Amino acid sequence: MRTLVLGGIRSGKSRWAEAAIAESTGAGQPVHYLATGASPDGDPDWSARIAAHRARRPSDWSTVETTDVATQLRSQIATPTLVDDIGGWLTAVMDRRGAWARESVGSVTGDVDDLIDAVGAFPSPLALVSPEVGLTVVPHTASGRRFADELGSLNQRLAGLCDRVVLVVAGQPLTVKEPSRAESRR
């Protein structure tokens, strides 16, 4: 089953996704954790956030810090996987492609299509964590609006592929989409 977990900053979406993937695999089972957030350079707040995420993970989970999520998904097809988070992945792609300006529209399409293909083909349990857009003011900067546009489009495509979509608000999961009974028995 593929699950997309959406939420705002500090909504509890990562914690909820970690519990959901652990529940779907059973206690003590390995999980491949793909962390897309860049390691901090001199940012104590970001370092503390990453440390808190690391401390929550069970010791039998393998962690890979990467922005090459599609390749990782293709190489770990037998292992339940959690990707945290899609917004971090998109930020890295936009940085790599120099895609922050409006005139760069379309420059991340190949990367996004590659991710979508890898997610669609992934046969094991998969949880994807992503920030939901539109829960705040429209970004004041062109690059902020560009990111929101790209992430909103990507979230919609991922939601179409996923069996279950959950929006986490104040730590509480709200089911947006769930599989039918026949689909959940597979």
Side-chain angles (χ1 to χ4, degrees), residues 45-182:
D45 179 56
W46 191 247
S47 295
R49 288 172 186 244
I50 289 175
H53 277 247
R54 286 177 179 152
R56 281 198 314 255
R57 291 180 216 143
S59 60
D60 52 356
W61 287 18
S62 65
T63 300
V64 175
E65 293 182 3
T66 184
T67 57
D68 194 356
V69 174
T71 298
Q72 288 292 320
L73 291 177
R74 290 185 181 103
S75 70
Q76 297 290 326
I77 61 171
T79 306
T81 299
L82 188 151
V83 179
D84 194 359
D85 89 358
I86 298 299
W89 173 83
L90 182 61
T91 297
V93 169
M94 290 178 75
D95 283 347
R96 189 171 59 245
R97 300 283 181 224
W100 292 99
R102 180 61 54 196
E103 57 273 5
S104 64
V105 170
S107 61
V108 298
T109 301
D111 299 280
V112 168
D113 289 346
D114 190 38
L115 176 67
I116 293 295
D117 290 345
V119 167
F122 195 75
S124 296
L126 176 64
L128 304 161
V129 177
S130 188
E132 179 56 287
V133 296
L135 297 177
T136 187
V137 297
V138 174
H140 181 67
T141 63
S143 60
R145 289 187 299 275
R146 172 100 168 97
F147 178 78
D149 291 347
E150 290 290 347
L151 184 60
S153 175
L154 177 54
N155 282 348
Q156 289 178 46
R157 290 182 70 186
L158 289 169
L161 281 176
C162 288
D163 307 296
R164 178 170 60 168
V165 178
V166 174
L167 175 65
V168 178
V169 178
Q172 303 303 305
L174 303 168
T175 300
V176 176
K177 175 184 174 183
E178 60 186 327
S180 68
R181 290 178 202 241

